[in-house]
Amino acid sequence: MGHPFPIREIARQAGLSEATVDRVLNGRGGVRESTAREVRQAIADLDRQRTQVRLVGRTFMVDIVMQAPERFTTAIRSALEAELPSLRPAVLRSRFHFRETGPAGELVRILDRIARRGSQGVILKAPDVPEVTAAVGRLEAAGVPVVTLVTDLPASARRAYVGIDDRAAGATAAYLMGQWLGERPGNILTSLSSGFFRNEEEREMGFRSAMRARHPERTLVEIAEGQGLDATQYDLVRAALERDPGIRAVYSIGGGNIATLRAFDDLGRDCAVFVAHDLDHDNTRLLREHRLSAVLHHDLRQDVREACHTVMRAHDALPPAGPTLPSAIQVVTPYNMPPQAAV
């Protein structure tokens, strides 16, 4: 039973004699199983308390760097602020570096500036391009741990990825789409904000693979590079609808859903099934209005909390943990929206 605590300290925690604790730790006989459990519990309690002592008075300055639409970065900021009390007794302070679009070089300059200035960690959502991967390597070399959030940079030196299994999410969207379209004819519009985000690429591959296997008769029409912004998304969707009168459903991988629905409305077209991602303010309202069929969601608060814990572990402020598991994918309809959904 490995542990770093003196027998006297374990005995005091458990309320047992040192001799009894010694017999338990060394596997000698004459000890009831209930007593052995008390010793194991005492060690576990001491370990938790040691973690709390390591955290008391610690301040972690973390930089949140994201390229995403404002509706998503707002959701991330809210999730982080809601989780701050759960990180006590440590204090986490954050600097936000948000932008909706722009060349990768701007992100690289932000990351390099953080590496020079110093930080306890970076939580990053960025396109998967070589220059960003190289900047992550420079951060890690400077002693700044990086955690990718929502979308991964698997070839980089980042410490961990926190988010869903995006291929599974895409396959889930295909399953729902097939079930709800049933025997009705119609092509499916798939919409990506950018082909450079790994999460969107994985979702599209999962969706396409599952549709090919289950519904090979369906035609998929792809649009991309709308950046998830309504201003650019509208023109892309409208042009696709005008080119293809058979589009009757949408799998929105990258957002801009208000503009997508407006394009359908302006052309007098019906969208029979609409599956989207993330319960941001826009999607919450559209789901309540029954304009969306379902939203594939994951708990951003849980993801942000895990990202912060990963940064803390990098500084030995929390005990080591196993590999980060994918976040659970929630299928949210107008009838099972979580109480904390955006209003």
Side-chain angles (χ1 to χ4, degrees):
M1 192 184 299
H3 64 88
F5 307 108
I7 289 177
R8 180 178 301 175
E9 192 173 354
I10 299 171
R12 186 166 57 245
Q13 180 72 26
L16 301 170
S17 70
E18 293 180 30
T20 298
V21 171
D22 183 69
R23 285 199 300 273
V24 172
L25 295 179
N26 291 286
R28 301 190 183 99
V31 180
R32 293 191 299 272
E33 175 56 30
S34 60
T35 302
R37 283 199 301 271
E38 290 177 11
V39 172
R40 290 193 292 269
Q41 183 62 51
I43 292 172
D45 291 342
L46 287 170
D47 190 60
R48 279 197 300 274
Q49 292 165 22
R50 183 180 61 164
T51 295
Q52 293 298 304
V53 169
R54 286 202 301 263
L55 287 174
V56 169
R58 294 287 297 272
T59 298
F60 297 88
M61 178 61 75
V62 177
D63 288 272
I64 319 296
V65 183
M66 295 197 161
Q67 179 173 312
E70 184 273 337
R71 62 179 178 274
F72 185 78
T73 54
T74 296
I76 289 292
R77 188 192 292 267
S78 298
L80 177 61
E81 291 172 351
E83 281 303 307
L84 289 179
S86 75
L87 302 175
R88 293 173 183 160
V91 175
L92 189 139
R93 301 192 184 282
S94 52
R95 294 181 290 232
F96 296 97
H97 313 268
F98 293 158
R99 58 182 217 145
E100 290 197 310
T101 186
E106 292 182 8
L107 276 177
V108 170
R109 283 191 287 275
I110 292 170
L111 297 175
D112 284 341
R113 188 165 63 247
I114 293 169
R116 291 192 300 270
R117 182 183 59 201
S119 176
Q120 270 70 57
V122 169
I123 298 174
L124 177 63
K125 178 185 182 295
D128 184 10
V129 294
E131 51 264 51
V132 173
T133 294
V136 170
R138 292 191 290 273
L139 279 163
E140 288 283 352
V144 180
V146 178
V147 182
T148 53
L149 182 69
V150 178
T151 184
D152 198 13
L153 303 171
S156 73
R158 54 91 172 125
R159 297 296 175 98
Y161 160 67
V162 177
I164 61 175
D165 179 335
D166 285 294
R167 287 206 186 208
T172 301
Y175 174 79
L176 296 173
M177 189 71 69
Q179 291 292 105
W180 286 335
L181 279 177
E183 300 301 319
R184 289 177 291 176
N187 301 334
I188 301 169
L189 182 69
T190 64
S191 170
L192 293 83
S193 72
S194 171
F196 293 106
F197 284 103
R198 175 60 63 116
N199 65 329
E200 295 192 19
E201 181 184 49
E202 296 278 345
R203 290 172 187 176
E204 194 275 338
M205 287 190 289
F207 184 80
R208 188 174 295 276
S209 176
M211 288 300 298
R212 188 183 300 119
R214 297 177 60 89
H215 305 284
E217 75 284 358
R218 297 282 183 194
T219 298
L220 306 185
V221 181
E222 180 181 314
I223 60 172
E225 304 308 320
Q227 306 301 322
L229 304 176
D230 288 337
T232 48
Q233 182 74 2
Y234 177 85
D235 291 337
L236 290 170
V237 175
R238 180 164 183 142
L241 293 175
E242 289 173 340
R243 287 192 304 269
D244 189 337
I247 294 174
R248 295 198 62 214
V250 174
Y251 174 38
S252 174
I253 299 170
N257 300 325
I258 289 177
T260 296
L261 286 166
R262 182 159 54 88
F264 271 87
D265 291 344
D266 288 352
L267 292 175
R269 298 274 288 277
D270 175 56
C271 184
V273 181
F274 197 134
V275 179
H277 280 270
D278 300 320
L279 274 181
D280 56 34
H281 286 279
D282 288 355
N283 287 345
T284 296
R285 179 169 66 82
L286 293 173
L287 196 59
R288 286 193 173 118
E289 294 172 355
H290 293 244
R291 303 296 309 277
L292 301 180
S293 307
V295 171
L296 301 181
H297 182 61
H298 52 110
D299 189 340
L300 286 180
R301 288 184 55 173
Q302 177 181 321
D303 287 352
V304 167
R305 181 170 65 249
E306 179 59 31
C308 292
H309 284 171
T310 301
V311 170
M312 292 177 179
R313 291 186 195 104
H315 294 282
D316 297 320
L318 289 176
T324 303
L325 298 176
S327 306
I329 302 169
Q330 305 170 24
V331 179
V332 183
T333 73
Y335 302 101
N336 69 329
M337 296 179 67
Q340 70 273 19
V343 295

